Amino acid sequence: MAIRLIAGLGNIGKEYEDTRHNAGFWLVDELVRQQGASLSREAKFFGQAGRVSLSGHPVWLLEPSTYMNRSGQSVAALAGFYRIAPEEILIVHDELDLLPGQVKMKKGGGHAGHNGLKDIQARLGTPDFWRMRLGIGHPRSLNLAQPVVDFVLHAPSREHRQAIDDCIAHALPCLADFAAGQMEVGVMKLHRRTP
């Protein structure tokens, strides 16, 4: 089964642009830039959407405009309209349980308290979609006293942002494998970066 929709999660608005919770947007933005593509406002999909061709395979890109907690409204609208099955969807999101610079891919599983994933799972009626987890670190693992809610809505340090950007640069070539249905190949390439 090939990936036909890549949705990056984040919050819209200038004040959220550089915050850790927007790591999913950062990856989609970089992919759009690399492909020389663009996203446009799609009211019926509650977000910014566009299409790219990855190794000859058409893939929808989506950035929900619903704010994180209602990401599922946008993902389910586009997936429903184009008859994209949950296992053909890749959600890119920030991950507290991985350090900045780490990335992991998995299919299914819980939402670990991530409100964007929780809403997508509820709207699709299944957890069986793919997730690319971009590490942002956890306040405890980074020796910070910040509450998690506050932490995800702040910008990372310059060093951590660079680590996340490097991680995104490493992840982008793997997307062509996913679009071609070569999930195992892509996952192996992706996971080579982190132990």
Side-chain angles (χ1 to χ4, degrees), residues 8-188:
L9 302 191
N11 287 308
I12 55 164
K14 208 84 183 133
E15 70 272 35
Y16 295 113
E17 241 171 56
D18 296 317
T19 64
R20 294 177 178 94
H21 228 10
N22 274 37
F25 277 9
W26 300 345
L27 181 137
V28 170
D29 287 343
E30 187 55 26
L31 178 59
V32 165
R33 193 189 65 74
Q34 268 192 16
Q35 294 281 316
S38 62
L39 300 180
S40 54
R41 176 94 187 93
E42 294 284 352
K44 68 181 174 216
F45 301 142
F46 309 97
Q48 304 267 357
R51 282 184 100 180
V52 292
S53 176
L54 299 176
S55 291
H57 301 278
V59 177
W60 278 100
L61 303 180
L62 177 66
E63 292 183 352
S65 304
T66 52
Y67 291 103
M68 186 63 84
N69 297 2
R70 292 177 60 211
S71 300
Q73 182 181 12
S74 177
V75 172
L78 191 147
F81 189 85
Y82 291 110
R83 297 199 168 98
I84 298 172
E87 56 269 28
E88 297 174 312
I89 298 172
L90 171 59
I91 304 297
V92 185
H93 65 91
D94 56 304
E95 176 58 68
L96 288 160
D97 293 335
L98 296 174
L99 290 170
Q102 293 185 321
V103 58
K104 293 279 183 198
M105 183 93 163
K106 74 170 188 175
K107 184 181 176 197
H111 50 70
H114 192 292
N115 289 329
L117 291 178
K118 190 190 290 186
D119 193 57
I120 292 166
Q121 203 164 304
R123 302 271 185 157
L124 293 179
T126 176
D128 291 335
F129 49 89
W130 288 88
R131 305 103 189 274
M132 183 181 286
R133 305 156 63 216
L134 296 171
I136 59 167
H138 190 286
R140 300 307 152 262
S141 61
L142 301 175
N143 298 316
L144 299 170
Q146 249 175 324
V148 166
V149 169
D150 193 44
F151 176 79
V152 298
L153 293 178
H154 276 80
S157 66
R158 186 176 299 167
E159 181 192 347
H160 286 165
R161 176 63 195 255
Q162 187 59 58
I164 296 166
D165 286 345
D166 290 348
C167 189
I168 287 170
H170 165 75
L172 288 178
C174 306
L175 298 176
D177 295 313
F178 301 147
Q182 306 285 321
M183 300 307 294
E184 215 171 295
V185 174
V187 169
M188 276 177 68

